[in-house]
Amino acid sequence: MPSYRMHLPIGELFPGTSPGDVMEQAALALGTLHAVEKKDVEAPLIGDRRVGRAVLRFAVDASSRADEDAAARHAIAVVIDHLTGSVGQIAPASAVVLTRSAGGRLRAISPF
C-alpha cells in the first residue's frame, strides 16, 4: 500500500479553537477515508516567516498509480473542506503539500 503525507498550513483559527484542534479534526476527517499512520506538527520557513503545519501520513489501498494519487488528492480535499468548516483557515494555500513515499523517498505530487 502506498504511503502519502499531507502538509496543511494552519491559518487563522475560529475563536475558541487551537492548533491541537486542527490536528484532531484533520485526523478525524482523514480517518473516514484512509488509515492514519502518523500525525506530527512542523513549522517550516515559507517565504520570510515560519508557518505551522499539521502533517498526516496515511496509506491508500493499492491499485494503479493514477488511482492511488487521485485517492490521495481526494483525501486532502476532504480534510481541507472539513477543517475550513470546523476549525478555521488552511492558509497559505501555497504551503499545502502532498507527497508520496516511493522506495524510501518522498515525491511531491500536486495536491489539487
Side-chain angles (χ1 to χ4, degrees):
M1 289 200 316
S3 181
Y4 292 84
R5 284 181 181 82
M6 63 173 67
H7 304 254
L8 304 168
I10 301 169
E12 187 175 339
L13 299 177
F14 295 149
T17 59
S18 70
D21 296 330
V22 174
M23 182 64 74
E24 179 182 322
Q25 290 299 312
L28 178 72
L30 180 57
T32 66
L33 301 171
H34 303 289
V36 178
E37 298 176 335
K38 187 175 180 183
K39 304 180 288 187
D40 203 358
V41 176
E42 64 183 15
L45 193 60
I46 306 288
D48 60 349
R49 67 183 181 100
R50 295 228 172 257
V51 175
R53 294 195 300 195
V55 182
L56 295 101
R57 186 176 75 197
F58 62 103
V60 170
D61 289 333
S63 59
S64 71
R65 179 173 290 254
D67 288 345
E68 294 160 356
D69 288 354
R73 285 186 188 98
H74 174 71
I76 201 169
V78 166
V79 171
I80 289 171
D81 184 58
H82 177 73
L83 292 175
T84 57
S86 63
V87 295
Q89 296 180 351
I90 299 304
S94 62
V96 174
V97 176
L98 180 62
T99 59
R100 177 187 175 121
S101 179
R105 303 177 86 183
L106 294 176
R107 178 181 63 88
I109 61 174
S110 171
F112 306 107

